[in-house]
Amino acid sequence: MTTTPQTTSHEKAHAFSAGFTKVMNSFDAVTRQGLADDLTLIKRYELLPPNSLLSVTDDLTTNDAKIVKTAGTIALRLTDKQGDIVGAVFYTPNSKAKPIVIDPTGYGAIVIGDLNKGNEVIALDDIESGIDVYQCMADDKITFIISPQKTMQCFKKMVQHWSSGSLLTVPMTIDNKGMINLLAGVNARALVTMADIVTMLHANHSYEAILAADDSQIINLKDTAYYPEWRDDPQLNEPMIYADGRFELYHDGLFFVKYNDDDLANITFKFKAFVCSAIEVIAKTRDTSSGTWGRLLQWRDDDSVLHTWSMPLSLLQGDAREYRRELASQGLNITTNPKQRSYLDTYIQDYPIHKRALCVDKLGWHDGQYILPDSAIGGDGKQLIVYQAANAINSTIAQQGTLEQWRDELCKKLADQSRFVFSIACAFAGQLLELLDDDGGGFHLLGSSSMGKSLSLKTASSVWGKPDSYTKTWRSTDNALEGTASEHNDSFLPLDEISECDPRIVGNSVYMLANGKGKGRSTTTGHNRTAKTWRIIFLSNGEESLQNFMAQAGQKTNAGIEVRVAHIDADAGKGLKTFDSLVMATTGAAQADKIKELSHTYYGSAGIAWLEYITNDKAATTATAKQLVNEFMSQYRDLAPQAHRVAKRFAIVAAAGEMATGAGITGWQAGQATTAVMTCLDNWLDNYGRDGEHEQRQIIKHIQAFIELHGSSRFQPCEKSFYTDNEQKVTNRVGYRKQGSNDYYFYINAFEKEVCTPYELKKVTQVLDDAGLLITNETNKKTFRVPAPTAKNPKARTRVYAIKSDILSYETDKSAGTARTQRTHHIEQGLEAVHSQRDTRGHSGHSEPQVDELSALSAYPKTRGTAANPVTTGDVPLSALSATKKQGTTKQGVIDPDNEIPPFGSEIDYS
């Protein structure tokens, strides 16, 4: 006899269930201590009959050879009407993951009470309600069964199986007529009541009294095949009465319905209007001060993708088209009929939901919870916290594949690739900023085309989502980038290819991203809006450095930008571009293709696992992160303030990588993340300088560049012989050049307004003076007083900023911080210094050097300081010179340390 497919399926399920009974009976009943303080499981342990919960120690294998990860779970057995174990529900203690349900028959139930065929069977679709009903009734003549899966079709199949041979009752409220429609034709009965049966039992109504009540109805489901006649699917939640009709929500939409008043059974209708596709009001939201009230909405688009938005109610009081436009853009289908469309306003605002949720206006950390656009991770679960904004966020956080696949097939194999390990560690670092009270900042991978920069960036993005979707681009306005940064608060922002950004705004954008604050704006009433704030770690890449890229728009980078964005060479220096070695293929190109393929196949699971790990115990996470950062920084004790600030950002990245490794997320060995980060930090220090006097070198190079560009065109020789009739005078003059020594004398105003820009005059003169490049002969001033070369009156005097020609041969050693000049010693000739009319006594009352002494001092190449307090220097580190200036007092008074990062400015284009 040929076996039909249906018979084969049934026999297979029967065979599995027979083996399953034996397997499940091999596990011991769990003790209360074995529930790991899981409140939900403890409640079930206390209310269910003894030995209902089992401690599962092994994974299970089904008949089709699929392995089910059940080791370490707590099982609740599923039974059929004969009492055989046909499946189980497996709960993972203290996990938000959905329980695993194994029920190959489809009709297994959680059973409470004796399996006596003479007993009445009461079927419920929720375990909490089932336990409550059992506790209230506790009748040995009634068996309680509960569907293990929250799907209506599974509930229907369970009822069909158990109703054969027994009196089966399904309690429901009068509004839940969708359940009647679901069970139409089943050999069972419905107990229809005005209030929920659990509520009435808690109000001390007995089951017998409920059955006998005038407002209760016993309906034979076998004889019902209607309500309403035009519906064939159950309602998603309770209807809402409005005016002379009511809103009813089904899987295919929200409808406003008016029933025929002549039909007392409310079976036929006289009006129905489609409002929108199915949308549920989940909770009422408000902030901690009971303001900014809103509604938490949930719906699915045509691709069955779930969307969640906490919508401010204020949007309903303005132009309602704005909020409807937002819903439509996220896949909600809304009617075009103006009158019916207005029903949606009413439904969202007035739907009688009693659940409350706390709304926040910023993603990331909120106390012990980490807020995502559509969910929250961590916390004690006592309060629902949601992100509320005027626009729904289409989150790019997504998952595909398992954590084990991402870790073992991709991340673990990259353990020796310094740039890739560093990039991936960056993806975990943003969540530690708030714990460590750090503002964050960025890194920039620098290298030529096809170096592998984008690949390392997108591999890091696979921690959180699909690489192409999660990776953002520099190609946006600064306003758009502000919104992007706000959406990545306390997280990681990858920005691909800086060349796509407008070079005119990149500097301001970098400052904005690193400083963590958006523009100030005002409302229509003139009041200030709260500016957006954030803390992020951002990772950028490009073929050019920020300095070169901004120079295209005539903009100047300074220490502020270079501290906020640390440049790292993408080339690992091993002859394999970004790679340190070949571990996944025989060529660099093939290895790059393999990494790209894997990162687009497995993604997103690592980020969620990381959030679950760090939110499990926020205090312990903070302590571990601080310890790891301190250990890292102990290896870099000799750094100056600016370099120390950047090194700490590297330390946070290293800490994140080590913690993710300790959590079993990366698959790396302990210390591998730290080694990779140190490699990248050393690369940055080799380029930036370990002494921290980067800004001083930049200022000197800035003055060098001006002189080199304009030395013969904008500086007029001081000698009188220059003014012969056959020689052309200098136009657009900025100063003089002294023959012989070739020192440069700058006009006061030109030096401050044109030459120094974008640096401050005081800062420039101090740096030049510290480096021994400034010639001075006036007390308490950085100026040089000389006869005016072009004045008709030979006694005319003028003040200039005098810079030694040594500046053109001035070099610095970044690793040691030493200042080196190469100059032939000479004594100034021709132009003489002018006697100052000031009192020649210093502030201490002692006589100061006279003018002839000052001339000699200014001519000597290794002198520096003021005329009143000359200091002879040799090859002295800039950092040491700066440190000397920052201690004690001078003739000008106390000099405060200047560790602040200078403001961003524009560079004069001299070309």
Side-chain angles (χ1 to χ4, degrees):
M1 185 178 79
T2 303
T3 303
T4 64
Q6 182 177 4
T7 305
T8 303
S9 176
H10 178 75
E11 289 178 351
K12 183 176 182 179
H14 180 72
F16 177 71
S17 64
F20 198 76
T21 300
K22 182 177 179 180
V23 172
M24 293 305 297
N25 285 335
S26 68
F27 297 123
D28 296 330
V30 72
T31 62
R32 195 180 192 283
Q33 289 75 18
L35 299 178
D37 294 328
D38 186 296
L39 299 180
T40 301
L41 289 176
I42 290 174
K43 179 179 179 182
R44 295 177 184 180
Y45 176 85
E46 294 173 344
L47 296 179
L48 289 172
N51 302 326
S52 295
L53 299 177
L54 304 177
S55 179
V56 180
T57 56
D58 302 314
D59 293 337
L60 300 182
T61 306
T62 62
N63 279 6
D64 55 2
K66 290 184 178 179
I67 297 177
V68 183
K69 299 289 186 180
T70 55
T73 61
I74 306 299
L76 184 57
R77 288 168 289 204
L78 302 179
T79 308
D80 65 5
K81 64 181 180 179
Q82 282 79 31
D84 294 331
I85 300 175
V86 295
V89 184
F90 300 88
Y91 300 91
T92 302
N94 297 310
S95 173
K96 295 184 180 296
K98 292 183 179 180
I100 301 171
V101 179
I102 297 180
D103 182 17
T105 65
Y107 48 72
I110 301 170
V111 179
I112 308 177
D114 295 332
L115 291 176
N116 189 327
K117 290 187 177 180
N119 280 5
E120 178 185 357
V121 177
I122 295 182
L124 300 111
D125 61 352
D126 177 72
I127 188 170
E128 301 297 336
S129 299
I131 292 175
D132 275 349
V133 172
Y134 166 72
Q135 287 292 311
C136 292
M137 295 173 60
D139 192 334
D140 57 5
K141 295 181 181 180
I142 297 178
T143 301
F144 302 88
I145 63 171
I146 304 162
S147 175
Q149 303 187 57
K150 286 187 173 298
T151 64
M152 301 306 291
Q153 292 304 318
C154 288
F155 180 71
K156 180 178 181 179
K157 190 170 184 178
M158 182 193 75
V159 171
Q160 286 174 323
H161 172 72
W162 284 78
S163 64
S164 59
S166 299
L167 174 63
L168 188 144
T169 304
V170 182
M172 63 184 68
T173 61
I174 193 171
D175 288 328
N176 196 6
K177 293 176 182 176
M179 182 71 78
I180 297 178
N181 185 63
L182 172 75
L183 301 176
V186 176
N187 186 24
R189 68 177 189 173
L191 171 59
V192 182
T193 55
M194 293 296 293
D196 185 81
I197 189 172
V198 177
T199 303
M200 290 190 290
L201 289 171
H202 279 297
N204 296 323
H205 295 287
S206 67
Y207 182 57
E208 292 76 12
I210 294 173
L211 289 173
D214 294 337
D215 55 2
S216 297
Q217 295 182 13
I218 298 293
I219 298 176
N220 188 353
L221 292 169
K222 189 174 183 180
D223 298 332
T224 62
Y226 52 84
Y227 184 77
E229 292 177 341
W230 52 279
R231 300 302 319 158
D232 59 359
D233 61 334
Q235 295 189 46
L236 294 179
N237 53 21
E238 295 183 1
M240 170 183 148
I241 305 299
Y242 176 69
D244 57 346
R246 69 188 204 175
F247 291 97
E248 294 185 352
L249 183 64
Y250 297 89
H251 288 289
D252 62 349
L254 173 67
F255 296 84
F256 182 66
V257 180
K258 295 180 182 179
Y259 286 94
N260 189 342
D261 295 335
D262 297 332
D263 184 355
L264 299 178
N266 278 346
I267 295 176
T268 60
F269 63 92
K270 61 182 180 181
F271 171 82
K272 70 182 177 100
F274 173 79
V275 179
C276 65
S277 53
I279 184 170
E280 296 181 82
V281 182
I282 304 299
K284 292 181 178 179
T285 62
R286 74 278 188 248
D287 62 20
T288 53
S289 60
S290 196
T292 62
W293 282 80
R295 295 292 184 267
L296 180 59
L297 309 177
Q298 181 175 285
W299 69 97
R300 291 185 181 272
D301 59 26
D302 290 342
D303 291 331
S304 295
V305 176
L306 183 66
H307 296 263
T308 303
W309 180 28
S310 181
M311 188 194 85
L313 275 181
S314 59
L315 295 181
L316 294 175
Q317 305 307 315
D319 186 352
R321 290 177 299 180
E322 290 300 321
Y323 93 86
R324 289 197 296 265
R325 183 180 291 114
E326 189 62 42
L327 290 172
S329 70
Q330 299 292 322
L332 188 73
N333 297 317
I334 304 174
T335 180
T336 57
N337 185 295
K339 183 177 180 180
Q340 294 171 200
R341 197 165 52 196
S342 66
Y343 285 137
L344 183 57
D345 303 356
T346 301
Y347 185 77
I348 291 176
Q349 177 170 285
D350 297 338
Y351 186 80
I353 189 73
H354 301 292
K355 188 174 183 179
R356 295 289 191 272
L358 178 67
C359 67
V360 295
D361 60 359
K362 184 187 293 188
L363 298 172
W365 286 105
H366 183 85
D367 295 332
Q369 291 194 55
Y370 192 90
I371 311 301
L372 296 172
D374 53 4
S375 62
I377 295 180
D380 55 14
K382 294 181 179 179
Q383 182 169 235
L384 176 62
I385 302 179
V386 296
Y387 173 68
Q388 181 166 297
N391 301 98
I393 294 179
N394 187 12
S395 176
T396 53
I397 296 178
Q399 294 186 61
Q400 181 171 293
T402 65
L403 172 62
E404 291 76 14
Q405 289 172 317
W406 179 84
R407 178 188 65 207
D408 297 339
E409 298 188 35
L410 175 62
C411 188
K412 185 176 182 180
K413 295 179 180 179
L414 298 174
D416 294 325
Q417 312 300 319
S418 60
R419 271 54 178 178
F420 283 83
V421 170
F422 174 80
S423 299
I424 293 172
C426 282
F428 296 111
Q431 284 72 28
L432 300 184
L433 296 175
E434 194 259 0
L435 310 184
L436 299 171
D437 193 25
D438 193 274
D439 294 333
F443 304 95
H444 184 71
L445 293 174
L446 177 64
S448 59
S449 178
S450 301
M451 178 62 65
K453 307 180 301 297
S454 294
L455 180 63
S456 60
L457 195 73
K458 292 188 177 182
T459 303
S461 296
S462 71
V463 170
W464 295 103
K466 188 175 182 180
D468 290 340
S469 300
Y470 191 84
T471 302
K472 303 303 183 288
T473 176
W474 277 103
R475 189 178 182 181
S476 60
T477 64
D478 51 355
N479 288 341
L481 200 58
E482 176 183 323
T484 300
S486 177
E487 293 172 6
H488 289 74
N489 178 55
D490 288 335
S491 192
F492 167 65
L493 175 60
L495 291 168
D496 194 22
E497 196 48 64
I498 199 170
S499 63
E500 295 184 356
C501 183
D502 186 343
R504 295 172 297 178
I505 68 169
V506 69
N508 289 331
S509 296
V510 166
Y511 265 88
M512 178 188 70
L513 290 175
N515 290 343
K517 189 170 184 178
K519 295 179 181 179
R521 295 177 174 87
S522 62
T523 64
T524 55
T525 59
H527 294 86
N528 291 331
R529 292 180 179 175
T530 302
K532 294 180 179 179
T533 58
W534 56 82
R535 302 181 199 228
I536 58 172
I537 290 291
F538 64 94
L539 181 61
S540 169
N541 66 38
E543 296 181 24
E544 295 184 282
S545 65
L546 282 173
Q547 297 95 316
N548 293 341
F549 186 62
M550 293 172 60
Q552 298 174 12
Q555 301 217 339
K556 176 73 174 65
T557 57
N558 52 36
I561 286 183
E562 294 179 2
V563 166
R564 286 165 169 82
V565 184
H567 287 57
I568 302 169
D569 291 329
D571 191 341
K574 303 299 176 61
L576 297 170
K577 299 184 178 180
T578 312
F579 300 124
D580 291 81
S581 60
L582 298 178
V583 293
M584 302 172 70
T586 56
T587 65
Q591 181 162 283
D593 290 340
K594 185 64 176 178
I595 294 173
K596 181 177 181 180
E597 176 189 350
L598 291 172
S599 64
H600 283 74
T601 303
Y602 310 121
Y603 52 79
S605 56
I608 300 302
W610 171 244
L611 293 180
E612 291 174 346
Y613 172 74
I614 62 176
T615 57
N616 185 50
D617 188 338
K618 188 179 180 182
T621 299
T622 303
T624 302
K626 288 182 177 179
Q627 178 183 352
L628 289 170
V629 168
N630 291 336
E631 290 174 356
F632 185 97
M633 293 304 297
S634 68
Q635 306 298 314
Y636 296 89
R637 297 181 182 277
D638 59 341
L639 299 180
Q642 289 180 352
H644 181 276
R645 175 178 173 181
V646 178
K648 185 180 179 183
R649 193 183 317 140
F650 279 90
I652 294 173
V653 173
E658 293 298 334
M659 292 174 68
T661 298
I665 297 175
T666 65
W668 304 330
Q669 297 296 318
Q672 285 184 313
T674 299
T675 299
V677 174
M678 282 184 171
T679 298
C680 294
L681 172 55
D682 289 340
N683 175 262
W684 178 79
L685 288 171
D686 289 342
N687 294 327
Y688 180 87
R690 295 173 183 267
D691 63 347
E693 303 295 345
H694 186 67
E695 185 184 10
Q696 284 86 334
R697 286 190 295 273
Q698 291 293 95
I699 289 175
I700 293 174
K701 288 181 180 179
H702 178 71
I703 305 299
Q704 279 179 341
F706 186 92
I707 295 175
E708 288 171 349
L709 189 63
H710 302 292
S712 62
S713 62
R714 301 186 65 184
F715 290 91
Q716 180 173 308
C718 295
E719 284 66 22
K720 298 294 183 181
S721 61
F722 177 74
Y723 302 102
T724 58
D725 295 336
N726 60 348
E727 291 195 49
Q728 183 179 359
K729 292 186 178 181
V730 174
T731 58
N732 199 19
R733 183 175 57 202
V734 293
Y736 308 98
R737 184 178 74 255
K738 183 172 178 57
Q739 293 281 359
S741 67
N742 278 331
D743 293 334
Y744 294 88
Y745 299 159
F746 290 83
Y747 289 141
I748 297 293
N749 289 333
F751 189 74
E752 178 180 1
K753 302 299 184 183
E754 180 178 355
V755 180
C756 289
T757 305
Y759 303 103
E760 293 182 354
L761 174 66
K762 182 179 178 181
K763 183 72 174 179
V764 173
T765 55
Q766 186 65 52
V767 168
L768 293 173
D769 194 20
D770 286 344
L773 297 173
L774 195 66
I775 306 171
T776 62
N777 66 354
E778 291 195 292
T779 304
N780 302 332
K781 290 182 178 293
K782 303 293 185 185
T783 53
F784 192 58
R785 187 175 176 84
V786 296
T790 59
K792 295 181 178 180
N793 182 358
K795 295 184 179 181
R797 303 292 184 261
T798 186
R799 284 188 176 90
V800 295
Y801 286 106
I803 298 177
K804 298 177 184 179
S805 62
D806 289 346
I807 193 171
L808 298 177
S809 58
Y810 186 92
E811 297 179 1
T812 56
D813 184 337
K814 289 181 288 187
S815 62
T818 58
R820 301 198 305 265
T821 59
Q822 298 174 354
R823 173 174 179 173
T824 302
H825 292 197
H826 69 274
I827 302 298
E828 305 228 16
Q829 299 176 355
L831 206 62
E832 295 181 354
V834 179
H835 289 264
S836 173
Q837 300 303 314
R838 290 176 175 270
D839 187 347
T840 57
R841 291 175 297 172
H843 288 281
S844 61
H846 299 293
S847 298
E848 299 184 1
Q850 298 303 308
V851 176
D852 54 346
E853 296 174 294
L854 294 176
S855 300
L857 288 171
S858 65
Y860 192 69
K862 295 296 183 179
T863 58
R864 54 169 292 278
T866 63
N869 187 23
V871 178
T872 303
T873 62
D875 290 344
V876 183
L878 280 173
S879 55
L881 290 171
S882 180
T884 302
K885 284 290 183 180
K886 294 172 184 176
Q887 299 174 357
T889 60
T890 67
K891 296 295 182 180
Q892 290 80 11
V894 178
I895 296 181
D896 295 325
D898 186 10
N899 292 332
E900 295 298 320
I901 295 174
F904 175 75
S906 301
E907 180 188 24
I908 300 299
D909 187 355
Y910 301 123
S911 58

